[in-house]
Amino acid sequence: MDAKFQTNQNVKIKSEKEFSLRKLLNIIGLFIFGGLALTIITNSPHSTNEIKEFLLFIVGSAFIYYVLVNLYFIGKSWRKVVYSSLLIIVGISIFMIFYLSTHSVPH
């Protein structure tokens, strides 16, 4: 009698709830950044340089948003990366609030 051995396979099962939350966050991002892009039409900037800067801001923000959302759903170790990067963004934002309030920019 020969023994038949089967190897244990690690299979990750993604729940439907996790997939739908990821899809929802991606759709919300589409509305957020699409709405920001539409503000160029409703409130036209004064120069083409302002349009370029605003579009660069939208593209950069969208890139960071989608990278963080999709990294969050890769796995538990990546969630720590997302949380730490969000903490860094919050810290930089708070620093910029105090820095810009004390060092005003002349117009």
Side-chain angles (χ1 to χ4, degrees):
M1 180 167 17
D2 291 329
K4 293 183 181 179
F5 295 105
Q6 292 182 347
T7 59
N8 188 9
Q9 296 178 358
N10 293 334
V11 178
K12 289 186 178 183
I13 300 173
K14 289 190 175 188
S15 65
E16 186 66 33
K17 183 178 180 182
E18 188 174 293
F19 180 72
S20 65
L21 181 62
R22 183 179 190 174
K23 187 176 180 180
L24 175 69
L25 289 174
N26 284 324
I27 291 171
I28 288 173
L30 183 70
F31 281 110
I32 290 172
F33 298 111
L36 280 173
L38 283 177
T39 59
I40 292 176
I41 297 170
T42 59
N43 298 331
S44 62
H46 299 289
S47 66
T48 57
N49 190 29
E50 287 181 0
I51 293 173
K52 289 177 187 176
E53 289 175 357
F54 187 59
L55 287 175
L56 184 64
F57 168 75
I58 293 172
V59 169
S61 300
F63 178 76
I64 291 171
Y65 176 80
Y66 284 113
V67 165
L68 289 177
V69 164
N70 291 309
L71 278 179
Y72 180 82
F73 289 103
I74 288 177
K76 292 199 181 242
S77 61
W78 285 103
R79 289 181 185 190
K80 293 178 183 177
V81 172
V82 171
Y83 290 141
S84 61
S85 61
L86 287 175
L87 284 174
I88 290 170
I89 291 171
V90 166
I92 291 172
S93 298
I94 291 173
F95 170 75
M96 290 304 292
I97 288 170
F98 290 113
Y99 178 79
L100 292 174
S101 66
T102 58
H103 299 83
S104 63
V105 177
H107 293 293

